[in-house]
Amino acid sequence: MLSSTSNFDVQCCWSAPVKRVATALLDVSLRVTGEIHIGGVMLKLVEKLDVKKDWSDHALWWEKKKTWLLKTHWTLDKYGIQADARLLFTPQHKLLRLQLPNMKHMKVKVNFSDRVFKAVSDICKTFNIRHPEELSLLRKPRDPKKKKKKLEEAEEDDLELEGPIYSSPGLYSKTMTPTYDSRDGSPLSPTTAWFGDSPLSEGNPSILAVSQPISSPDILVKLYKPQSLLDKAKINQGWLDSSRSLMEQDVKENEVLLLRFKYHSFFDLNPKYDAIRVNQLYEQSKWAILLEEIECTEEEMMMFAALQYHINKLSIMSSDHHMNNSEKEVDEVDAALSDLEITLEGGKTSNTLGDITSIPELADYVKVFKPKKLTLKGYKQYWCTFKDITVSCYKSKEEAHGTPALQMNLRGCEVTPDVNISGQKFNIKLLIPVADGMNEIWLRCDMEKQYAHWMAACRLASKGKTMADSSYNLEVQNILSFLKMQHMNPDPQFIEPITTDINPECLVSPRYLKKYKNKQISARILEAHQNVAQMSLIEAKVRFIQAWQSLPEFGMTHFLAKFQGGKREELIGITYNRMIRMDASTGDAIKTWRFSNMKQWNVNWEIKMVTVEFADEPSLSFICAEVDCKVVHEFIGGYIFLSTRAKDQNESLDEEMFYKLTSGWV
């Protein structure tokens, strides 16, 4: 055992640049004592290398322990570094190839020693995307059908197909003089300073606010499409740990990572500041639908295609024309953007108090169906009243003052739409939690207006809210607007003739391309386009995002897990406000737990078991399969963290609170 005062050799490697693309490792031995601090080691190393350059961005990386030696005042003894240690003297900032939500690639210099949460925050500052806590980095999913060599070739092809890659020359150092914006004096983010002469150096990377039409259906063919719920669950294995650095997670320089909206809780969307954020959200939702990562009906698909076609047309027009009208578009879409927050409980959109002395009620004839009850062959009509969060069903209106034939408390239930506009089908599927699982009840409405009111009331009741909540009327209008966009019977004289500029192979998912001929799809898209033809560009994008949010599977992140007491692997779905136990083969919900009812959650790191305790329900325990339980733990903690945001807060993030809720060991 060497004493701390004895001399010993430390092997240091310097990644010296060779030409422009390669680096060579140069081994250097230093004779030092265990009492020397890390800063002293770096100073000795620089003196021995005798290369004149700015070394301020370099730091020591201990590969064996996978840790950065950033506390330069610590001694070798304090770090536990022995004579056989091999350290890498390397820049902290390295190039990453980021694939943005719009599928375009950019080269960005990122601090590989920062925690991922901080690195993503810097990236978002560069791209002018507010609320970076909603995004994170994801490894590219591997298509099991493709061989590794062919997959790598395909990735390179993607980079060529998907437009320019912006390099980021220059270097940022924590010891350099901070860079400030010449226009308003605010400090630029570290990443912003690296963009030199690229289009992103102007401080407003407006190119990212422009939606570019898909140039060829070949791009869709090459991209990975999950074929089942299990495939979707496997994609989520790739999320990086937000509390650890890129180097700690074996991310290599020039590696391709995906920048994505990880948490589907979009806060304070504002068209005055969020043109890029709205566009990237639109792009992520567009690709999710085209790649069938989320299910939608045929009518919904045609509506999405019509919106996409409309957005493409407006985007191709002169950008100057749209810039000149941007203020008008902002006024038109302000209310629509506030609706997004209501849908996701991102924040209150109105300070006006409703009539708190009386809670609105619904009462009407509604058809009810209980699929699991064999004695009931089909829908049966009841006089139904909706009070607070309870639906009571009576055999007739006259019996409404007596005992109900059926009564349902909707707190914590799953609410799923089942709508077909052309078939005049307006169903609401309810999965109501009971002691041994979920009771399934279907409600059928006769008309759109009735459906909108009952659907809005059900959604609020599932969150424990009544129709007195300020969001109720806006939720009703949201639903009616969503249904209106799906209407397929406008006046034929206003339908555009089919032209060559519409390419259905780039507007609808493969499932519907197989079902219909291109000419039929084009005709239906143009028919649906009449419902959205008067929308401005940003309004169309917002409506697309809203329609995405209205889909039953929106915001559901799947993981494969084995529940305590269970005999086989099942799925767990996590959304912004609940966890759902699901059948792995069908996707049917078995049991739902709301975060609002959760007391605490923790992880047994030895056996990789997540345990969640609730206020008035038995605790839930499960072991994650094929994914680190840290990923699931971070999703739960992340959504809890996002739920604490408020509009009166400043823009700064409480990083330490995020780490406390998500990292488990910090």
Side-chain angles (χ1 to χ4, degrees):
M1 181 82 181
L2 290 170
S3 69
S4 60
T5 57
S6 60
N7 293 332
F8 60 92
D9 294 331
V10 175
Q11 297 291 321
C12 294
C13 299
W14 173 44
S15 51
V18 178
K19 295 183 180 178
R20 291 188 60 181
V21 294
T23 57
L25 291 179
L26 176 66
D27 283 336
V28 179
S29 286
L30 295 179
R31 181 163 290 270
V32 294
T33 69
E35 291 181 336
I36 191 171
H37 53 73
I38 297 299
V41 174
M42 291 195 292
L43 182 61
K44 283 180 175 289
L45 181 58
V46 169
E47 289 174 350
K48 193 163 186 177
L49 289 171
D50 195 25
V51 176
K52 293 190 179 297
K53 60 172 291 179
D54 184 354
W55 296 97
S56 56
D57 187 55
H58 279 62
L60 290 172
W61 166 254
W62 192 0
E63 178 63 36
K64 185 178 179 181
K65 298 291 186 180
K66 288 197 179 299
T67 186
W68 284 95
L69 308 181
L70 298 177
K71 295 177 180 177
T72 53
H73 60 285
W74 277 27
T75 64
L76 295 179
D77 282 345
K78 193 167 184 178
Y79 266 118
I81 296 173
Q82 299 296 318
D84 61 346
R86 186 176 173 85
L87 308 177
L88 179 66
F89 191 49
T90 183
Q92 297 171 68
H93 292 90
K94 302 176 187 292
L95 283 175
L96 268 185
R97 291 188 295 174
L98 282 185
Q99 187 195 69
L100 304 185
N102 63 357
M103 297 295 182
K104 304 299 178 186
H105 288 76
M106 287 190 176
K107 273 189 177 180
V108 185
K109 268 202 173 178
V110 179
N111 192 334
F112 272 53
S113 66
D114 272 342
R115 292 172 172 181
V116 166
F117 186 83
K118 176 66 168 60
V120 170
S121 180
D122 283 345
I123 291 167
C124 288
K125 284 178 185 175
T126 302
F127 295 153
N128 200 12
I129 298 174
R130 295 194 310 142
H131 297 289
E133 66 274 14
E134 297 169 359
L135 297 93
S136 193
L137 298 174
L138 178 71
R139 292 187 190 273
K140 210 164 187 178
R142 297 290 181 183
D143 190 342
K145 295 179 182 177
K146 290 184 180 179
K147 292 182 179 179
K148 188 174 180 181
K149 189 174 181 182
K150 288 185 177 179
L151 187 64
E152 290 171 355
E153 290 173 359
E155 286 179 359
E156 293 302 320
D157 288 343
D158 286 346
L159 292 175
E160 293 298 321
L161 278 169
E162 296 173 2
I165 302 172
Y166 297 98
S167 61
S168 44
L171 188 63
Y172 169 80
S173 167
K174 292 178 180 176
T175 61
M176 292 179 186
T177 305
T179 307
Y180 292 89
D181 191 327
S182 59
R183 291 166 295 185
D184 60 11
S186 61
L188 292 173
S189 74
T191 322
T192 307
W194 308 324
F195 274 86
D197 299 327
S198 84
L200 294 175
S201 63
E202 298 173 4
N204 179 24
S206 56
I207 188 173
L208 301 180
V210 179
S211 176
Q212 297 178 356
I214 300 172
S215 57
S216 166
D218 292 339
I219 295 175
L220 275 170
V221 173
K222 289 184 177 182
L223 293 173
Y224 173 64
K225 302 176 194 64
Q227 301 298 314
S228 66
L229 286 171
L230 295 179
D231 288 343
K232 294 177 185 177
K234 287 177 181 177
I235 290 175
N236 294 313
Q237 296 174 21
W239 288 108
L240 295 188
D241 186 338
S242 297
S243 59
R244 296 163 63 207
S245 70
L246 293 169
M247 285 278 276
E248 289 175 81
Q249 299 179 73
D250 295 320
V251 176
K252 308 300 182 187
E253 188 168 10
N254 278 315
E255 186 172 331
V256 176
L257 291 179
L258 281 52
L259 180 69
R260 294 290 185 270
F261 288 89
K262 175 178 180 178
Y263 299 105
H264 291 72
S265 179
F266 315 128
F267 184 67
D268 190 26
L269 275 169
N270 189 319
K272 296 175 183 176
Y273 313 114
D274 289 327
I276 293 172
R277 186 170 166 221
V278 168
N279 186 60
Q280 295 300 319
L281 264 174
Y282 158 70
E283 289 286 349
Q284 183 162 326
S285 59
K286 177 185 80 176
W287 286 102
I289 288 161
L290 290 177
L291 297 176
E292 299 177 357
E293 293 174 5
I294 186 168
E295 297 289 328
C296 65
T297 66
E298 189 173 307
E299 288 178 334
E300 289 165 346
M301 178 58 72
M302 297 307 159
M303 174 202 65
F304 283 122
L307 280 167
Q308 193 183 334
Y309 172 66
H310 184 63
I311 291 166
N312 290 348
K313 284 182 68 176
L314 295 182
S315 298
I316 291 171
M317 292 179 184
S318 168
S319 58
D320 291 338
H321 172 75
H322 289 296
M323 292 299 178
N324 293 336
N325 290 282
S326 59
E327 290 301 318
K328 180 183 176 184
E329 292 185 358
V330 163
D331 294 335
E332 291 173 351
V333 83
D334 266 340
L337 283 165
S338 67
D339 292 350
L340 291 170
E341 295 174 10
I342 285 181
T343 306
L344 292 177
E345 295 184 325
K348 294 181 180 178
T349 57
S350 173
N351 294 322
T352 306
L353 291 174
D355 182 2
I356 60 175
T357 60
S358 63
I359 297 176
E361 300 174 2
L362 294 175
D364 209 342
Y365 279 106
V366 177
K367 295 182 178 69
V368 181
F369 175 48
K370 295 193 284 186
K372 293 181 180 179
K373 194 167 182 179
L374 299 176
T375 56
L376 195 60
K377 300 297 182 184
Y379 283 93
K380 186 175 181 180
Q381 184 165 276
Y382 288 92
W383 176 259
C384 296
T385 61
F386 204 132
K387 297 181 181 179
D388 293 328
I389 58 173
T390 301
V391 176
S392 302
C393 304
Y394 303 89
K395 291 182 179 178
S396 66
K397 184 177 181 180
E398 291 70 28
E399 297 181 21
H401 297 291
T403 304
L406 176 66
Q407 196 167 52
M408 301 168 281
N409 185 313
L410 301 190
R411 183 189 295 272
C413 75
E414 288 296 310
V415 184
T416 307
D418 180 30
V419 175
N420 185 302
I421 303 292
S422 58
Q424 288 295 291
K425 182 175 76 170
F426 305 102
N427 292 347
I428 303 169
K429 178 182 176 182
L430 302 173
L431 290 173
I432 303 167
V434 292
D436 58 345
M438 308 282 273
N439 273 349
E440 187 173 354
I441 303 287
W442 290 64
L443 305 180
R444 172 169 285 182
C445 300
D446 292 327
M447 297 177 296
E448 286 184 21
K449 191 173 181 180
Q450 182 191 33
Y451 167 80
H453 283 86
W454 282 78
M455 186 64 173
C458 288
R459 284 177 175 169
L460 286 175
S462 72
K463 303 168 189 173
K465 297 181 179 182
T466 70
M467 286 173 275
D469 191 89
S470 61
S471 64
Y472 173 67
N473 288 328
L474 283 170
E475 182 71 26
V476 171
Q477 293 305 313
N478 253 356
I479 295 168
L480 288 172
S481 173
F482 182 53
L483 295 175
K484 184 180 178 182
M485 287 193 295
Q486 295 180 61
H487 287 180
M488 300 296 288
N489 296 306
D491 192 333
Q493 66 177 333
F494 294 110
I495 298 177
E496 301 174 50
I498 297 176
T499 58
T500 55
D501 70 330
I502 182 167
N503 187 351
E505 293 175 319
C506 298
L507 299 175
V508 301
S509 66
R511 179 185 308 171
Y512 297 105
L513 287 173
K514 294 173 184 175
K515 192 173 181 181
Y516 299 102
K517 294 179 180 178
N518 282 6
K519 192 172 182 180
Q520 291 174 303
I521 297 174
S522 298
R524 291 188 63 180
I525 291 172
L526 292 174
E527 190 178 349
H529 180 245
Q530 299 310 302
N531 297 318
V532 301
Q534 301 307 311
M535 291 182 183
S536 66
L537 180 58
I538 194 166
E539 183 184 0
K541 290 179 182 178
V542 169
R543 292 299 178 189
F544 194 103
I545 296 168
Q546 283 183 310
W548 175 47
Q549 290 176 296
S550 298
L551 298 177
E553 291 184 6
F554 167 76
M556 184 79 68
T557 306
H558 300 92
F559 299 98
L560 201 59
K562 189 169 184 179
F563 289 83
Q564 194 170 37
K567 296 181 180 179
R568 57 192 176 89
E569 290 181 343
E570 297 171 277
L571 284 176
I572 185 163
I574 298 177
T575 73
Y576 75 100
N577 65 352
R578 65 197 189 281
M579 292 188 298
I580 308 166
R581 184 175 181 174
M582 307 168 73
D583 185 288
S585 55
T586 64
D588 292 339
I590 300 171
K591 179 73 175 174
T592 296
W593 299 271
R594 296 262 163 184
F595 290 157
S596 58
N597 196 34
M598 188 167 64
K599 288 171 61 179
Q600 66 176 24
W601 73 102
N602 56 71
V603 179
N604 183 327
W605 298 106
E606 290 184 8
I607 60 174
K608 305 294 184 184
M609 177 178 283
V610 180
T611 301
V612 188
E613 295 181 17
F614 301 94
D616 52 8
E617 293 184 82
S619 62
L620 162 71
S621 296
F622 58 89
I623 296 174
C624 301
E626 299 185 5
V627 65
D628 192 330
C629 61
K630 172 64 172 65
V631 178
V632 178
H633 176 71
E634 188 172 304
F635 262 94
I636 297 171
Y639 275 124
I640 299 295
F641 173 77
L642 296 186
S643 70
T644 64
R645 296 179 295 182
K647 277 191 173 181
D648 56 356
Q649 291 177 337
N650 57 32
E651 289 290 318
S652 62
L653 282 174
D654 188 347
E655 284 188 45
E656 289 308 310
M657 177 58 71
F658 177 84
Y659 296 135
K660 285 179 182 178
L661 289 170
T662 60
S663 62
W665 49 70
V666 175

